[in-house]
Amino acid sequence: MNGGLIPFGAPPKEDAEGLRDSAALIRSGRAAGASWRFELDEMEWRGLQESLSADPLSFIGLWCDGDAVQALFADPRQGGDRPLMAVLKLDGARYPGLSGPRPAAASFERRINDLWGVEAMDARDTRPLVDHAAWTASAPLSARPGAATYAPEIPEFGQLPDAVVRSGTLATRGPANGGFAAPAHLRLGVAPGPAGPAVASVESRVGYTHRGVASRMCGGTTLAAADLAGRISVSMAAAHQWAFCMAAERAAGVSAPLAAEVARAALCEIERVFAHLTALARLAQAADAALVSARLFAARETLMRLCGKALGKRTLMDCICPGGVAIGGVASGGDARSEAQVLAWVCQELAAFGRSEVAALRGVWRTTPGLLARLAGLGMTRRAEMDALGLGGVVGRACGRGGDLRLGQAAYGAVQLRPCARTGGDARARADLRMDEILESLELLDSLGATLLAEEADALCAAFPTPVDPCWGFGAVEAAHGAVWYVVGLGKGRVEQVFIADPSPSILTAQEAALVGARALDVDVVTASFAVSAAAVDQ
Amino acid sequence: MSSSMIRALFTALLAPAGPALPPVASRSPLVLFHVDSGGCEACGLEVEALKTGGYGLAEAGVEFSASPRLADMLLVTGGCSRMMAPVIRAAWEAMPRPKGLIAVGACARDGGLFPQNYATLGGLENHAPVDLFVPGCPPTPSEILGAVIAVTARARSGSTRDTTT
Ligand code: SF4
């Protein structure tokens, strides 16, 4: 199945200012291997660049494969999960960038420049993202990689504000602080403020965990690529694997059995609980609420032990594979019905755990003296900025943005889903939302478990022959931290192209903005409230 | 940039500046320092679970430190990216003697799913004097604890390092 979701043939419309409708403009290009991929020439791409400034089309990702740059959008008027891809063949090492009208494109443009040496014109941000002159070559993925550059004597950082230079200090965090999250470095200019020293400038340096995951996927089997998708970030392992498999299945025209889709949804909900418990426990730790933190970590450990005991895996990577799921499971003996039963049992155990322990935990969370007050008003995000970044997930929903990919998914069809939202936009809103989502996911697990038992699945995995003829597919999953998208090109019996969009770089951008003005002693609380996965930023 | 300068730079980034502790022959409790050198965070998370998940670490006198200057044992997770290599080295050099090095997870041994490429060294195997490799992708907290105990016991009995695991 090569999509078939986007209607063809609508002529480009013009609005009062003479700007064309971006979606129609993309569709007026030449079909490029799938009903949702269109090749534009440079003039058309420039037209797109212009029209985007006055168009609601959501930006999802921008990638390069050496020959072309490819931008993926979703049309909110069509439900938000129907993508549209614009392809521009490169003529030289520059292309008109998209970060002007779509700030979220900036991290993609920076990554493309680092990996391929292909530069975005009119770029909002030209700093390197993952290449900080420690690699064996510059532009390592291009046909002609450059020589290795040597790191400058001091890492290049931007100019510090005058107030910091005159009477401030420099504070740094990471990359190795003895903590357990992936390494990243924060450089904060701190200047005296009315309420004590406050952050005047923020620069994040990432790239410490760049492994080149997407490029490693190309040329291998879909199974090997799915394993790698599960190793982007532990807090979104199942979600990345599902999104990859969804894209590969769409490309190959394979449908996973419905029971497998339900099992995938259940695995993602368990992962969401796990990721939010981790984020909240680390947040409570940063806010010096040691007892709450200990209970949250204990709850996470219970969940992990349960999964370890029943599924043989404490973390949920390697359960989702092309064609369906391969849960294995200590007690299943490998047959589909007992595999589904084992997972259903885990779901229902967790739901029961939610009703007792997690509900009590929420009470402790709310009544711990000073904890909520400590979080209130910290790390404010503004709705307009989140809209500009197109950021969903916890960070977007905590300032009132809607959108949840689960709403349109068949796997969730039989269950009641009411995505939670808050409007505060501060650390407290994000934390409260994570707590709401934990309880909601545990409720969902109860229903998903019941659906799994009722399905009487004969098979949890369809055969997956990788196509020989080139084909393209897309997949999107609501991961714990936001929407994860994959575009996958298959052909010659292997994976040819993989493009990954993860919300983490945009969360990092939101965190940078929210840190400005924070009191120096609140920095760790603010960063913990965003729970950025540096491993997912770097990939 | 000379390697000593890189080291000096990262030493400064690693921890608040202060005089290095003099080497101490034996201290109690046993102090661990963790560095994620670039993986998927699962191994780091299992080390965190070892600390927070009721594995009796505190009771056994094992602690985690926020600075390598106080640590007896370095736990490295992840595949050792070229950007993190000088950081690991600086952490190792900041630790007082005697000291141990444990590579946690497949990545930290030979890169696991992420063998050497332009950005990563593909694990510590050929780059550092590792006392024990903990297999797994990721290993469980109990397996990591087992390695900590084994290396401690080996150090107490004075035997040499074993890289055959
Ligand atoms: S060994 Fe496996 S689980 Fe551990 S960091 Fe590497 S990829 Fe992740």
Side-chain angles (χ1 to χ4, degrees):
Chain A
M1 183 170 79
N2 272 337
L5 299 161
I6 310 292
F8 282 97
K13 294 192 289 281
E14 294 197 4
D15 71 3
E17 290 168 28
L19 287 175
R20 291 162 77 191
D21 173 324
S22 304
L25 204 152
I26 296 173
R27 279 190 212 111
S28 69
R30 281 133 323 274
S35 60
W36 44 275
R37 281 182 93 240
F38 299 91
E39 192 181 321
L40 307 186
D41 62 29
E42 185 153 345
M43 282 305 291
E44 291 165 329
W45 182 279
R46 280 195 181 277
L48 173 66
Q49 191 192 26
E50 249 171 60
S51 70
L52 280 172
S53 53
D55 193 286
L57 203 61
S58 323
F59 171 85
I60 293 170
L62 175 70
W63 305 274
C64 180
D65 63 7
D67 293 329
V69 283
Q70 326 213 358
L72 190 71
F73 300 91
D75 198 337
R77 294 159 296 197
Q78 295 207 9
D81 58 353
R82 311 285 169 91
L84 207 48
M85 193 162 211
V87 181
L88 170 69
K89 284 260 182 286
L90 285 169
D91 178 20
R94 280 149 68 87
Y95 64 98
L98 300 178
S99 56
R102 292 291 181 275
S107 67
F108 290 89
E109 290 173 355
R110 293 166 69 190
R111 193 186 305 273
I112 289 173
N113 201 4
D114 288 353
L115 294 174
W116 298 92
V118 175
E119 199 184 320
M121 291 179 268
D122 320 310
R124 194 175 267 267
D125 189 344
T126 54
R127 292 173 301 162
L129 182 74
V130 284
D131 176 8
H132 297 283
W135 296 353
T136 52
S138 58
L141 301 185
S142 73
R144 282 183 296 279
T149 48
Y150 291 98
E153 295 287 309
I154 296 171
E156 276 172 50
F157 288 103
Q159 196 76 32
L160 287 169
D162 279 351
V164 178
V165 175
R166 268 199 321 272
S167 53
T169 53
L170 206 59
T172 58
R173 296 285 187 282
N177 55 6
F180 303 99
H185 179 61
L186 255 188
R187 187 194 199 230
L188 307 157
V190 179
V199 175
S201 68
V202 184
E203 241 182 297
S204 320
R205 186 181 170 86
V206 293
Y208 296 93
T209 73
H210 176 74
R211 293 143 278 158
V213 185
S215 59
R216 289 179 194 268
M217 289 176 175
C218 299
T221 63
T222 49
L223 198 58
D227 282 349
L228 284 165
R231 301 298 190 291
I232 300 240
S233 165
V234 67
S235 55
M236 296 179 278
H240 269 272
Q241 284 188 317
W242 189 5
F244 169 79
C245 292
M246 199 186 275
E249 285 156 13
R250 199 170 247 132
V254 171
S255 301
L258 182 62
E261 291 285 326
V262 176
R264 289 168 168 188
L267 291 164
C268 276
E269 294 311 315
I270 299 172
E271 185 170 88
R272 197 179 316 280
V273 175
F274 157 81
H276 286 343
L277 283 174
T278 304
L280 287 175
R282 290 177 180 173
L283 175 63
Q285 200 169 39
D288 298 320
L291 281 176
V292 187
S293 168
R295 280 195 69 169
L296 287 158
F297 275 126
R300 181 184 76 173
E301 181 65 18
T302 306
L303 179 149
M304 293 178 82
R305 284 191 192 179
L306 187 69
C307 293
K309 202 164 160 206
L311 309 173
K313 299 172 185 86
R314 285 167 50 89
T315 45
L316 296 177
M317 55 263 281
D318 306 336
C319 292
I320 297 176
C321 61
V325 289
I327 297 167
V330 180
S332 76
D335 97 83
R337 208 158 293 177
S338 43
E339 262 191 309
Q341 273 170 2
V342 169
L343 185 58
W345 176 78
V346 173
C347 292
Q348 290 177 343
E349 279 292 305
L350 283 173
F353 172 64
R355 281 188 286 271
S356 55
E357 173 62 15
V358 181
L361 241 174
R362 185 202 197 121
V364 175
W365 175 264
R366 284 180 173 163
T367 53
T368 298
L371 177 59
L372 296 184
R374 174 94 171 83
L375 302 178
L378 294 190
M380 285 296 287
T381 54
R382 271 176 282 279
R383 171 73 195 258
E385 283 169 12
M386 298 305 102
D387 285 342
L389 277 174
L391 192 53
V394 169
V395 177
R397 284 197 287 274
C399 61
R401 273 176 61 81
D404 189 321
L405 289 169
R406 290 179 292 173
L407 285 170
Q409 270 181 295
Y412 291 92
V415 302
Q416 276 276 328
L417 173 69
R418 294 179 310 279
C420 314
R422 298 261 167 174
T423 52
D426 57 356
R428 175 174 172 175
R430 288 188 286 278
D432 284 344
L433 190 56
R434 285 189 215 278
M435 197 54 102
D436 293 347
E437 290 198 6
I438 289 173
L439 285 154
E440 183 206 44
S441 291
L442 291 167
E443 280 295 317
L444 284 178
L445 281 172
D446 207 10
S447 322
L448 290 168
T451 314
L452 265 180
L453 285 179
E455 271 296 315
E456 301 246 328
D458 289 328
L460 284 178
C461 198
F464 190 89
T466 309
V468 175
D469 295 332
C471 53
W472 290 88
F474 64 85
V477 167
E478 189 71 30
H481 299 301
V484 165
W485 286 78
Y486 273 71
V487 172
V488 172
L490 302 178
K492 300 183 192 141
R494 61 181 197 192
V495 178
E496 298 259 271
Q497 292 290 354
V498 181
F499 303 137
I500 307 169
D502 181 282
S504 304
S506 289
I507 302 175
L508 186 71
T509 307
Q511 174 184 287
E512 280 191 349
L515 274 169
V516 175
R519 291 186 307 165
L521 48 86
D522 291 333
V523 165
D524 294 326
V525 179
V526 173
T527 52
S529 76
F530 281 93
V532 184
S533 163
V537 176
D538 293 343
Q539 294 172 17
Chain B
M1 185 179 190
S2 72
S3 62
S4 60
M5 283 212 54
I6 297 177
R7 231 172 290 150
L9 175 70
F10 280 103
T11 310
L13 295 178
L14 274 163
L21 287 183
V24 184
S26 80
R27 270 164 296 148
S28 183
L30 180 73
V31 181
L32 311 178
F33 183 70
H34 167 248
V35 178
D36 180 338
S37 70
C40 77
E41 295 183 281
C43 284
L45 196 128
E46 289 293 30
V47 177
E48 183 182 54
L50 172 62
K51 179 187 172 189
T52 59
Y55 288 84
L57 229 56
E59 295 80 351
V62 182
E63 284 177 3
F64 280 87
S65 159
S67 161
R69 292 174 201 284
L70 307 170
D72 305 287
M73 211 177 279
L74 180 61
L75 262 55
V76 176
T77 58
C80 196
S81 71
R82 294 176 194 273
M83 258 178 99
M84 279 306 284
V87 183
I88 302 171
R89 187 172 191 141
W92 179 245
E93 290 182 355
M95 287 167 61
R97 287 167 196 276
K99 52 190 168 185
L101 176 56
I102 299 183
V104 178
C107 271
R109 174 170 205 142
D110 56 10
L113 289 180
F114 305 112
Q116 190 177 87
N117 73 356
Y118 60 89
T120 153
L121 287 172
L124 293 177
E125 200 167 40
N126 299 316
H127 303 282
V130 177
D131 288 287
L132 200 64
F133 294 98
V134 190
C137 184
T140 63
S142 312
E143 288 162 345
I144 303 168
L145 180 60
V148 171
I149 292 168
V151 172
T152 314
R154 212 184 285 161
R156 294 229 164 99
S157 69
S159 67
T160 53
R161 88 173 25 103
D162 173 6
T163 51
T164 57
T165 314

